[in-house]
């Protein structure tokens, strides 16, 4: 910024002789624009009409002479401040020749400031830096002549049709595609995805490079960029700003995504056509990787990836983020502070509204992304350095921009209306008080309801049903509920009875004869053994008759089980429910346990009765972690709400750390007709939202700072 007390600029330093000024088309309002190229640093600077006219007469040497010539030869009337601002811009970007000791000292001061900020540069650029590897301009010229057919319209239509055919086949065989994806989530599959990522990104960058070469744009270099230590290929197409046709720039910017999508579509179709084997697996990896990367990362305009440059070229707005942010800040200052803040540039109302909305979405998106990057940095490095770098990233990318905006608000406090100042002061105090105030929020948890006195009927053996009580039927204690038969068991019982009777008869005949006394011990032993076998078979048969241990109603009778049907021991047949109260078991996280206590009131919302709420009372809070879910219907593998671990020996093992809380339902009318699950809202002790959020932060700080 130029001080009003400094003397006016008289002598102009000459431009560096290698700089080039090229036409760059027209702006949105039709005004011509130019690009100033610095071939040494491979940088381009966009110039407006005023800047172009000033630089065209820059060799005049004196500021007043340049201003006089522009005023005499054009319709423009540039001011002294405009030429001084341009001179300062050229000096800061080292675009001027140094011919005087004073100017050399200025450049030396700039170099010293740059040297002093190397630590700052290292702190923030370790997240993203480039390593040039190739200078492919000559090879791309040769390759472009061989691949000219790729840009023919018929090629585009052919690829589009084949891709649509591949997607259609995938939609018809989605189950097979999803199953293949689930099977690919393995260490070997991860390696396959890495190889596929290298292939797709190579095609992506080659698309940029070939399209740039097609439009006579020199590709200075290609190499590897590291984003949070993750390697990515990149192509330098900076010189595309030399093109005056923005459609050509748009084609270069979108060529990478188009190449990936074409590769994804063709690989998807080929996956359906080839037989089982390594080639089919490789095509699946390429297809899924290209679809996911293109549709989720590359087309996003909220970071400086391809989607950003495509949108920037489509709107013909260089520096899209900065210009949108400036518009959003101006509107925010007008809305919140009531300042007469003018927009930084005049734009149509519809475009201005779009850019303001785009800026807010970008801010929210970057808040999420930068927070994730900070967490990744914290986890990647050893704990003390990771904690330091986490704080640096949060400050630089999130807190610092907010702090700078708040500083501007504070500097404009004199121009802010008194009512707005009072509101801005009261708002954070109110929000802080609300965040610190202990609010009695309920503890919400997944739960299931079941009778306090009940049992589930299972067949002890694979057997056939002879009798099964009716749904809702009342049964007295000791009455049969389920009678089963097993033909093999009946046969073994009859055979054991016949063998027992035969040995009984033999024992009588032997004991009556004197000459059979020596056989008597063997006969007695066999008689006792066969009698025991018969008793065991009879006892096993008695197990096939299930009686009610208490009086109650028979519920949850399986409608697919009737007389003559076979049942397995793992198949629940029905449930006997006693007259006692119904219970609810809720499953809460460890952090919620201190807020719960016996006697607290609660509401239970059964999932099968929308809009219904049953009152309940807490009777017990367990402090031992739940290992096994009490019922299969709660497991996510059976359509329930709670995830389980993939363990074949223990399919109901809970994945998360859950603790059981028992409640008693207070029902006014009829009890539920069946067991089920739902959501419980338990009245817990009041807590402060801010303190609860700061607890895990304090735990991490204490853990990481203790060696």
């Amino acid at each position: 910024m130029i001080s009003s007390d400094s003397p006016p600029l008289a002598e102009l330093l000459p431009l560096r002789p290698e700089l080039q000024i090229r036409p760059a088309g027209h702006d949105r309002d039709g005004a011509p624009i130019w690009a100033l190229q610095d071939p040494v640093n491979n940088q381009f600077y966009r110039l407006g009409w005023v800047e172009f006219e000033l630089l065209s007469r820059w060799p005049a040497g004196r500021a007043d002479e340049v201003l006089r010539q522009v005023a005499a030869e054009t319709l423009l009337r540039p001011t002294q401040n405009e030429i001084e601002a341009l001179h300062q811009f050229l000096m800061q970007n080292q675009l001027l020749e140094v011919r005087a000791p004073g100017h050399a000292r200025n450049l030396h001061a700039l170099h010293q400031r740059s040297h002093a900020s190397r630590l700052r540069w290292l702190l923030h650029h370790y997240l993203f830096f480039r390593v040039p590897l190739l200078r492919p301009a000559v090879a791309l010229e040769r390759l472009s002549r061989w691949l000219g057919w790729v840009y023919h319209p018929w090629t585009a239509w052919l690829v589009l049709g084949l891709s649509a055919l591949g997607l259609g086949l995938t939609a018809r065989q989605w189950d097979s595609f999803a199953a293949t994806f689930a099977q690919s989530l393995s260490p070997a599959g991860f390696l396959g995805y890495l190889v596929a990522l290298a292939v797709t990104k190579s095609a992506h960058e080659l698309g940029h490079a070939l399209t740039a070469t097609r439009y006579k744009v020199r590709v200075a270099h290609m190499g590897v960029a590291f984003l949070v230590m993750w390697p990515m290929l990149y192509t330098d197409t900076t010189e595309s700003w030399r093109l005056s046709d923005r459609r050509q720039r748009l084609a270069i910017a979108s060529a990478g995504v188009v190449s990936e999508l074409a590769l994804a579509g063709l690989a998807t179709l080929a996956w359906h056509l080839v037989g089982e084997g390594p080639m089919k697996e490789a095509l699946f990896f390429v297809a899924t990787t290209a679809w996911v990367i293109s549709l989720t990362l590359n087309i996003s305009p909220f970071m400086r990836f391809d989607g950003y440059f495509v949108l920037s070229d489509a709107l013909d707005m260089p520096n899209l983020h900065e210009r949108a942010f400036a518009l959003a800040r101006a509107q925010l200052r007008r809305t919140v502070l009531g300042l007469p803040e003018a927009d930084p540039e005049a734009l149509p109302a519809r475009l201005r509204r779009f850019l303001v909305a785009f800026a807010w979405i970008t801010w929210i998106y970057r808040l999420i992304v930068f927070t994730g990057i900070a967490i990744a940095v914290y986890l990647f490095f050893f704990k003390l350095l990771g904690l330091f770098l986490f704080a640096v990233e949060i400050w630089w990318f999130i807190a610092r921009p907010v702090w700078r905006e708040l500083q501007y608000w504070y500097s404009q406090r004199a121009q802010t209306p008194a009512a707005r100042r009072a509101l801005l002061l009261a708002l954070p105090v109110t929000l802080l008080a609300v965040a610190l105030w202990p609010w009695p929020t309920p503890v919400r948890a997944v739960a299931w309801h079941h009778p306090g006195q009940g049992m589930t009927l299972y067949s002890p053996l694979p057997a056939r049903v002879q009798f099964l009580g009716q749904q809702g039927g009342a049964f007295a204690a000791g009455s049969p509920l389920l009678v089963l038969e097993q033909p093999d068991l009946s046969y073994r019982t009859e055979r054991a009875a016949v063998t027992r009777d035969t040995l009984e008869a033999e024992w009588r005949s032997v004991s009556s004869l004197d000459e059979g006394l020596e056989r008597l011990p063997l006969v007695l032993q066999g008689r006792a053994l066969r009698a025991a076998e018969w008793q065991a078979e009879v006892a096993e048969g008695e197990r096939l008759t299930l009686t009610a241990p208490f009086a109650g109603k028979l519920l949850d009778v399986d409608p697919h089980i009737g007389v003559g049907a076979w049942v397995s021991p793992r198949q629940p047949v029905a449930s006997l429910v006693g007259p006692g109260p119904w219970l609810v078991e809720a499953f809460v996280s460890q952090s919620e346990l201190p807020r719960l206590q016996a006697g607290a009131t609660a509401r239970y919302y059964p999932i099968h009765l929308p809009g219904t709420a049953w009152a309940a009372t807490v009777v017990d809070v367990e402090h031992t972690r739940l290992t096994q879910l009490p019922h299969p219907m709660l497991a996510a593998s059976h359509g329930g709400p709670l995830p389980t671990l993939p363990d074949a020996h223990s399919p109901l093992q809970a994945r998360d750390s859950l603790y059981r809380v028992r409640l008693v339902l207070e029902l006014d009318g009829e009890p539920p007709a069946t067991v089920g699950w739902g959501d419980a809202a338990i009245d817990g002790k009041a807590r402060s939202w801010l303190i609860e959020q700061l607890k895990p932060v304090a735990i991490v700080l204490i853990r990481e700072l203790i060696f």
Side-chain angles (χ1 to χ4, degrees), residues 25 30 49 68 76 87 94 120 141 166 178 204 213-214 296 333 337 404 505 518 545 627 646 683:
W49 188 11
R68 187 191 64 77
L76 300 174
H87 188 274
Q94 302 181 15
R120 178 182 297 177
E141 286 284 351
H204 179 106
T213 304
R214 176 179 174 83
T296 61
R333 293 164 183 172
L337 301 180
R404 294 178 64 178
E518 65 277 5
T545 300
T627 56
D683 294 336

Side-chain angles (χ1 to χ4, degrees), residues 16 330 471 517 563 637 641 664 677 699:
R16 286 170 31 205
Q471 170 76 18
L517 293 177
V563 176
S637 56
V664 175
W677 65 274
I699 292 173

